Every structure is written in structure tokens, then in C-alpha cells.
Amino acid sequence: AVAVSQDAAVVSAPPPTGTNVALASAGAVASASSTHSAGFAVTAVNNGERAGANPGAGGYWNDGSQGAFPDWVQIDFNGNKTIDRVVVYTLQDNFTNPVEPSDSQTFTLYGIANFSIQAWNGSSWTTLGTVTGNNLVKRTVSFAPFTTSRIRISVAAVARGGPWSRVTEVEAWGY
């Protein structure tokens, strides 16, 4: 909900709840099924930079298995965390001049189209949400609170500009 102050007629959005427990600065560590090259390192997915700035020089993760799926990127948290949503940022069409992604920004070329959010339950992966036909650069997937030590984004298909999986950032919101 948006709060409106009647006195000053100022509109402000409420702050997000919880903490992004996927950040490297919070002790989380990223890994991936494969990586194209050092310029597309998986460390890009949890460094706090969502737009994918500096393509080919650490701006986003690009898998190394051209046209083969699934690909995955994983975030190991600093211990068990209870999370209720994951935000996945993928490559925007104008990746050489990216902007901070909004909730409504779409892609047609390079983004991930079909993917699942999975969490480790102690012995196997549990699917918390699946997205098909995605065209949003910033896709939020909400689910019932789940306690886990790690999450995985499993990519099943990419947009027509494929054949690579490209992720610029992953956020896991919880406490």
C-alpha cells in the first residue's frame, strides 16, 4: 500500500520488509552450473548491482553451456534464513546502456523466460515457484515463508536472443 500524507500531499512507498540475505556483503556465496568466461562471473549475481552494468567485465552471469538447459545459479546463505520472496533480474535489451530495472520493464531479446526458484530442504531441492513465459527484467516470486540455507534459480528456457542464460542479480528477502 502507498501512504499519503494529507498535510503535505507527499506520496511514499513503504520500505521493503526483511533483508536481502543473498548479498555477498551479508556473507552469501554464489555458484553456477557453468560460466561462459571470467568476464561473466557468477559473483555478479549477488553484488547488489541489478542493471547489469559493465557487460563482459563482471556485469552479469552468463552460463557456459550454449543452448543446453537447465542452467542454474545458486546462492548459499550465511546460515539458515527464512525467506518469503526472491527477485530475479535478467539481462535487459539495451544491455550496453542499462538502467535500474523497474517492476514493469520488459525484455524481448536476452532475458530468461522459464525458470524455477528452488530451496534446499536439507536433503533435496524444493520448488518454491515456477515462472513461464517471463518477459520482465525484474521478476518477483513470492511464496510462503521457507527456512533454508541456499536457493537455486534453475533456468529452463531463454528469450529469442538466446541461447545463453543471463542473470544480473538475485535477491532473497527474509530474516
Side-chain angles (χ1 to χ4, degrees):
V2 174
V4 178
S5 169
Q6 294 179 358
D7 295 330
V10 174
V11 177
S12 62
T17 56
T19 302
N20 178 8
V21 298
L23 283 169
S25 61
V29 177
S31 59
S33 54
S34 65
T35 300
H36 182 268
S37 65
F40 299 98
V42 72
T43 53
V45 304
N46 70 335
N47 64 2
E49 199 287 304
R50 301 174 185 113
N54 303 311
Y60 60 88
W61 168 72
N62 194 121
D63 81 283
S65 59
Q66 182 178 5
F69 299 94
D71 298 311
W72 54 262
V73 61
Q74 179 175 313
I75 307 285
D76 288 46
F77 304 140
N78 183 12
N80 280 332
K81 306 294 179 189
T82 301
I83 59 173
D84 63 7
R85 69 192 177 284
V86 170
V87 184
V88 178
Y89 297 83
T90 191
L91 194 63
Q92 46 193 277
D93 289 352
N94 188 7
F95 68 90
T96 59
N97 190 27
V99 297
E100 180 67 17
S102 68
D103 290 329
S104 60
Q105 182 183 11
T106 60
F107 66 81
T108 60
L109 299 175
Y110 309 111
I112 59 173
N114 300 348
F115 62 93
S116 294
I117 309 294
Q118 302 171 325
W120 187 250
N121 68 14
S123 60
S124 63
W125 292 102
T126 298
T127 299
L128 301 177
T130 298
V131 176
T132 58
N134 180 54
N135 71 340
L136 294 176
V137 172
K138 175 186 177 186
R139 173 62 76 165
T140 300
V141 179
S142 298
F143 41 83
F146 192 89
T147 301
T148 184
S149 62
R150 58 188 175 232
I151 60 167
R152 179 177 282 187
I153 312 307
S154 180
V155 180
V158 297
R160 65 184 177 93
W164 307 101
S165 294
R166 300 170 177 112
V167 175
T168 62
E169 189 75 9
V170 174
E171 298 173 344
W173 290 90
Y175 44 92

